[in-house]
Structure formats: structure tokens, C-alpha cells
Amino acid sequence: MRPVVPRVLLGVRRSVAPSKCLVPRHHALTTQRQGLLSTCRAFSATARRRERAPESATEIAAAEEGEEEEERKWSTPLAKQLARAIQATGPVPLASFMRMCLTADIGGYYTGAIEDGRDQFGLKGDFVTSPEISQVFGELIGVWFVTEWLAQGRQGKGVELIEVGPGRGTLMDDILRTIHSFPAMANSIDAIYMVEASPKLRVAQRNLLCGDDASWTESKVGYHSVCKYGSIPIVWTDTIKSIPIAPEKMPLIIAHEFFDALPIHAFQCVSVPATQDDPPLETDKSSPSTRTTQPTLQWREFLVSPSPPGSTHASLNTPPSQSRATPPPDFQLTLAQAPTRHSLYLPESSPRYRALRSRVGDGALLEICPDAALYASDFAARIGGSAQHPKQKPSGAALILDYGPGDGSIPTNSLRGIRLHERVSPFAEPGLTDLSADVDFEGVAEAAVRASEGVELHGPVDQGTFLEVMGIRQRVETLIQAAKQRGDGSGAGGDEFARNIEMAWERLVDRGPGGMGKVYKAMAILPEGEGKRKPVGFGGDVVN
Ligand code: SAH
């Protein structure tokens, strides 16, 4: 009889489905911008309807409702709700649209739109992530945290493991299993925190980490249960702000494919003719607007509004490769004609953005993710202390793995929609389409050092380099030997199984164009040490 190999020895999970960012960056902003004029037409039609002499408010509302229903079938309930909101308030910032699409209470991609029996991850889902491809990924991240714990003096208690955006819980499971083989460190863990917006994924994570149908209790902070590894308390929260901060704690934070799911604002620099009034900056509301004689460069925000009724993929210029899997987009991107609240202050918030305006000028594009800065600041304050939360001795580490430029450039045109492993328009079927954008690693680093004097940054380095230095080759070779000897436990040949393990490894470290080893990057936030110690994977050695 073939011995049954525990799942954790198999080493491979999925090897076929593409990851979130297999495909090159798309052109949503440039192509959708061409819909600007037709969007304006859609808005004036609504305005005309409102001009009719009202007979009674209810009659008008009913008539408008009827007209709307007749005129337009929205692709999802969330699309209808968004369109109603936009009709009332005007076009919304891309970040508001993205936030609703991903985490709206009703019908957000992560919070409820996906029908029962289907989830976001894996072959039958929309995308696959590194921890779902191979257990080795999470094991090496577990080892990375162990090396940090050792290097920072083997703190005996007060260690907290925090994961933001934990998906199915697979990564945390692999990390905990690995740490469990280092009992002194495992015993130092006081609590595990999981920051998760999705109620369904919270249940999946609990079942995996605490046992099927384990119970949990609710408090003001979130949901509490007990982890199957060492009975450590585990707490689920909606946001990292709910996790208490204390100076004696050593937070070990992991963010894998979380920052790319945070909403972005997008801007374009335009040259404004001399005849227009130059608006005062938001920081200087008291000063009167000035008449300029020279054209000025100003940022304009990309906004989202409904696409014109009867739009087709062709009329909205959806790239043909993104037109197959969805009906025509309900929404489109337009460039605001005048400054918005966000265009007045966000592009002024960093010298990098101001330099881009001076360097590129008219036509420069810019994406800014304020939530990424908030999370990075929070991580930094927990590790290094801050004015609000002083910490005598900085301790802990944050590891951020995601995709985005590694050369300090600011992301542009990086918003993407993903359905069933294909690139689709980000404006089609809101709530059913995954949305993500490149991470501005340099911006994350800037926010972290601004938030705390007690931290330093390492990276970003390519995922391929990081995993190889962490010993992926050796770990995979061990698993391959085990697989060859034992098979996969389900009757399949050991050689075939060993090949699958090898393919998964190749995929994680692939540095070819679009390969995960090159596109994904790792960045670390550590206690400030004047750069004297480099962490493993970022040019440093293991410190015992
Ligand atoms: N880290 C996992 C999952 C990545 S997908 C993996 O690599 O497999 C993004 C995860 O972040 C999901 O769990 C999603 O529900 C969660 N998420 C997205 N936006 C969030 C938000 N604003 N707050 C909390 N969780 C969020």
C-alpha cells in the first residue's frame, strides 16, 4: 500500500493557473480616456430629464426609475448602486470606485459578490498567488521571520504575527508550521492577528488555522479563536488600526499581494492656458485666485462615470484581448476638467511627484495610493515607535511582497481588471472583477521613514533573488527526493509529482519577461540600525 503523504510534504499546489500579473500592464487609462465626450453626453441626458416640470416628487421618481430601467440594464447590483450614487454626486475618484468594487458591504469583490462555490483563488477562481502555488513560499517567509527573531535577540515573549490580506490563510498556515519547528520562537508568540475585509475568507482562514468549524467569539476588536499550532490566540480584524500598539511588543508583519488591492488615485498633468484663473492651493484657501499670463501646469484627476447607454467594447476602446470575458464596461474613466480636492493636495504631498511634474510636464501621469502610505506608516510606528506610540527599543519586522516598479519610478497606467485568469476591463461587471494596481515601493518606503525615526528600509529586491537566497533550491530538492520515494499519496507516480514540485519552484523564481521572480518584489521594514545589519534575502547573512 502506498503511504499517504501529508499535504504539507507535497510541495506543490497549483502549477497551471496564471498569477495576478502574468500579463503586461494594460492601457486602461489611455484607452478609457477617449470616452470623455460621450460620458458628458450621458450626464446631460440625465440633466435634461431633471428639467421637466415636476408634477409630484413620487411621480417623477417613479418615472425616472421606469425610464432608467428601460434605458439601462446594469451588469451587477453594485453597478446600479454606483451609477445611482454618481448621478447624485457627479463622477467619483478612481479610488472611491475601486474601494466600492473591492470591499463594499454589498457586492464587493472580496466582500460578497462572488457566488457560493466559487472563490477568488486557484484554477476555478480568478487568479493564483505564490503561497497557493507552493508551500515552499510560505515556509521560506517563516524562516525569514525566524532569522529576524534570532538577529534581534530572541525576545522571549511579546512577539505578534500580523498578516494583512491573508486570502485563504495558506501563507499564515505555512509560516506557522515552519515557526513551530523552532519551539523557543513559537513560545514567544503572544498573538496572531489577521486583517481581513472578507467575511467568507475569514471563515476559510479560521477553518484552516484553527480546525474546521472551530468556534470564535466576538469583541469590540474583532473575532477571536485559538490556533491549532500551540494554541496561540488568533484575532481577526477589519483594519490594522484595531490592533493595539504596545512598546514591548515585537510585531512580525507580512503583506503579500495586499498593497496592490488598495485603492489608487490617478492624475494627469495638463497645461492650463493663461486665460484661466489659477486656483489657490488647498493649503492656502485665504489667498485670492490669481490671473496668470503664462500657461501653468496643473494636475487633473481621473474620475469614473457611467459609460454612455448602449456602449460596446469597440465604442469604449476596450483592447480586444480584454473584451472576451465580460459584457461592455458599465463605467469609464474621464479626466476632470477642473481641479478636485485630491488633485490639489495629493500630487503636492511628495517631492517625487513635484519632480515628475517639472520633468515630464504636460501629459505626465501619476498614481497615488494613500492607503498604502497609511499601512506603511502603521507598520513603521509599530516597529520603530512614533510620537504617539513611543518605543524605547525598536523591534519587529515587516515584509511586503507585491508587484510594482523596483527602480523607484512611480506607477502609471497600472490599474488592471482580472476575471477567470484573463485580463478584462477594470470597469466591467463591478464586484465580479478583481481590481489591482502596481505598488509604489518607493512611496511605501517614504511613508514608513516619515512615520518613524526608528525604522530603516531594505529592498525592493526581485522575488526570484529573495527566494533563492532564502534557500528555495535546497528546500525544493528535499521535497523532490521525498516525492520520488513516496509518490503523492494518491496513487500518482512519484516522478510526475516531483516534476510538479520543480515546475512550481521554476515559476516562483522565473526571471523571464512577466515571470513571477522578476515582476514580484520584496521589501522589508526593520528597526533602525544605521544600515549596519542587512537582513537575509536583502544582502545579509543569518545571525545566530
Ligand atoms: N495574501 C493572500 C491573498 C491576496 S488577495 C495570498 O497571497 O494568497 C488580497 C487579500 O486582501 C484578500 O484576502 C482580501 O480579502 C484582502 N483585502 C483586500 N482589500 C482589503 C482591505 N481594504 N482590508 C482588509 N483586507 C483586504
Side-chain angles (χ1 to χ4, degrees), residues 76-140:
T76 60
L78 179 62
K80 186 170 175 178
Q81 199 184 327
L82 273 162
R84 284 269 154 88
I86 292 171
Q87 270 160 3
T89 64
V92 293
L94 181 56
S96 312
F97 175 78
M98 222 176 142
R99 191 183 308 282
M100 289 290 285
C101 289
L102 291 176
T103 53
D105 284 349
I106 302 164
Y109 179 75
Y110 286 113
T111 40
I114 293 201
E115 60 275 19
D116 278 343
R118 198 171 97 76
D119 76 21
Q120 295 86 354
F121 306 88
L123 276 179
K124 291 188 188 146
D126 292 319
F127 54 81
V128 70
T129 59
S130 296
E132 302 292 336
I133 290 174
S134 168
Q135 69 179 68
V136 178
F137 183 81
E139 289 172 350
L140 295 178

Side-chain angles (χ1 to χ4, degrees), residues 35 67 103 108 124 128 201 240 270 380 403 471 477-478 482 488 516:
E67 217 175 301
T103 53
K124 291 188 188 146
V128 70
L201 286 173
I240 197 156
V270 296
Y403 42 87
E477 275 163 9
T478 311
D488 71 351
M516 295 181 84

Side-chain angles (χ1 to χ4, degrees), residues 209-339:
L209 298 175
C210 307
D212 279 344
D213 300 320
S215 60
W216 52 13
T217 53
E218 203 178 335
S219 78
K220 269 195 294 192
V221 176
Y223 297 90
H224 304 246
S225 194
V226 176
C227 175
K228 67 186 181 196
Y229 297 103
S231 302
I232 305 167
I234 176 161
V235 186
W236 282 263
T237 66
D238 279 345
T239 148
I240 197 156
K241 290 275 165 254
S242 309
I243 305 177
I245 300 188
E248 70 281 5
K249 300 290 182 190
M250 177 185 196
L252 298 175
I253 306 168
I254 174 75
H256 180 254
E257 290 219 32
F258 173 71
F259 279 75
D260 70 75
L262 297 175
I264 55 162
H265 288 268
F267 303 96
Q268 183 175 4
C269 187
V270 296
S271 176
V272 180
T275 48
Q276 280 195 11
D277 276 348
D278 209 8
L281 284 178
E282 180 140 286
T283 46
D284 186 18
K285 287 204 180 91
S286 57
S287 74
S289 43
T290 48
R291 276 198 109 70
T292 52
T293 51
Q294 299 289 318
T296 53
L297 288 172
Q298 292 181 9
W299 291 104
R300 292 284 185 267
E301 183 166 13
F302 284 102
L303 302 174
V304 178
S305 55
S307 54
S311 291
T312 61
H313 279 301
S315 72
L316 294 169
N317 295 311
T318 315
S321 62
Q322 295 178 24
S323 306
R324 285 190 299 267
T326 66
D330 294 309
F331 295 90
Q332 64 182 0
L333 213 50
T334 61
L335 192 62
Q337 303 286 336

Side-chain angles (χ1 to χ4, degrees), residues 185-527:
M185 174 166 179
N187 289 335
S188 74
I189 302 175
D190 281 2
I192 301 161
Y193 290 97
M194 309 280 274
V195 179
E196 176 56 69
S198 158
K200 260 195 192 168
L201 286 173
R202 276 202 293 262
V203 171
Q205 292 154 17
R206 184 202 59 191
N207 291 349
L208 184 62
L209 298 175
C210 307
D212 279 344
D213 300 320
S215 60
W216 52 13
T217 53
E218 203 178 335
S219 78
K220 269 195 294 192
V221 176
Y223 297 90
H224 304 246
S225 194
V226 176
C227 175
K228 67 186 181 196
Y229 297 103
S231 302
I232 305 167
I234 176 161
V235 186
W236 282 263
T237 66
D238 279 345
T239 148
I240 197 156
K241 290 275 165 254
S242 309
I243 305 177
I245 300 188
E248 70 281 5
K249 300 290 182 190
M250 177 185 196
L252 298 175
I253 306 168
I254 174 75
H256 180 254
E257 290 219 32
F258 173 71
F259 279 75
D260 70 75
L262 297 175
I264 55 162
H265 288 268
F267 303 96
Q268 183 175 4
C269 187
V270 296
S271 176
V272 180
T275 48
Q276 280 195 11
D277 276 348
D278 209 8
L281 284 178
E282 180 140 286
T283 46
D284 186 18
K285 287 204 180 91
S286 57
S287 74
S289 43
T290 48
R291 276 198 109 70
T292 52
T293 51
Q294 299 289 318
T296 53
L297 288 172
Q298 292 181 9
W299 291 104
R300 292 284 185 267
E301 183 166 13
F302 284 102
L303 302 174
V304 178
S305 55
S307 54
S311 291
T312 61
H313 279 301
S315 72
L316 294 169
N317 295 311
T318 315
S321 62
Q322 295 178 24
S323 306
R324 285 190 299 267
T326 66
D330 294 309
F331 295 90
Q332 64 182 0
L333 213 50
T334 61
L335 192 62
Q337 303 286 336
T340 57
R341 190 161 61 89
H342 296 106
S343 75
L344 286 173
Y345 84 92
L346 280 178
E348 295 300 320
S349 63
S350 160
R352 287 169 75 226
Y353 309 149
R354 295 196 291 270
L356 181 76
R357 181 178 55 189
S358 331
R359 202 176 64 244
V360 182
D362 195 9
L365 293 169
L366 174 60
E367 287 174 4
I368 302 178
C369 182
D371 285 15
L374 288 177
Y375 271 91
S377 307
D378 180 288
F379 296 174
R382 281 173 201 276
I383 295 166
S386 63
Q388 205 188 346
H389 299 285
K391 188 169 182 174
Q392 226 170 21
K393 187 171 178 294
S395 65
L399 186 61
I400 299 165
L401 291 128
D402 224 309
Y403 42 87
D407 60 0
S409 57
I410 304 167
T412 57
N413 272 349
S414 80
L415 177 70
R416 66 203 86 192
I418 297 164
R419 281 289 290 288
L420 299 168
H421 307 282
E422 275 195 42
R423 276 291 272 281
V424 297
S425 163
F427 302 102
E429 297 194 300
L432 294 178
T433 299
D434 177 43
L435 299 180
S436 71
D438 279 3
V439 173
D440 178 10
F441 283 101
E442 186 77 21
V444 166
E446 236 180 38
V449 293
R450 211 183 303 131
S452 173
E453 286 179 358
V455 296
E456 64 184 31
L457 270 291
H458 294 268
V461 297
D462 290 353
Q463 170 167 303
T465 309
F466 175 76
L467 292 177
E468 291 205 332
V469 177
M470 288 302 303
I472 192 166
R473 186 181 297 264
Q474 295 82 337
R475 177 66 184 134
V476 164
E477 275 163 9
T478 311
L479 288 169
I480 287 175
Q481 287 313 318
K484 279 188 176 155
Q485 280 164 17
R486 306 191 219 187
D488 71 351
S490 66
D495 283 345
E496 188 194 333
F497 207 67
R499 178 70 197 129
N500 285 343
I501 296 173
E502 203 173 351
M503 274 161 45
W505 158 49
E506 283 165 1
R507 199 165 158 206
L508 292 180
V509 299
D510 175 14
R511 290 199 195 78
M516 295 181 84
K518 190 182 168 75
V519 173
Y520 285 78
K521 314 282 183 324
M523 180 182 240
I525 308 177
L526 289 188

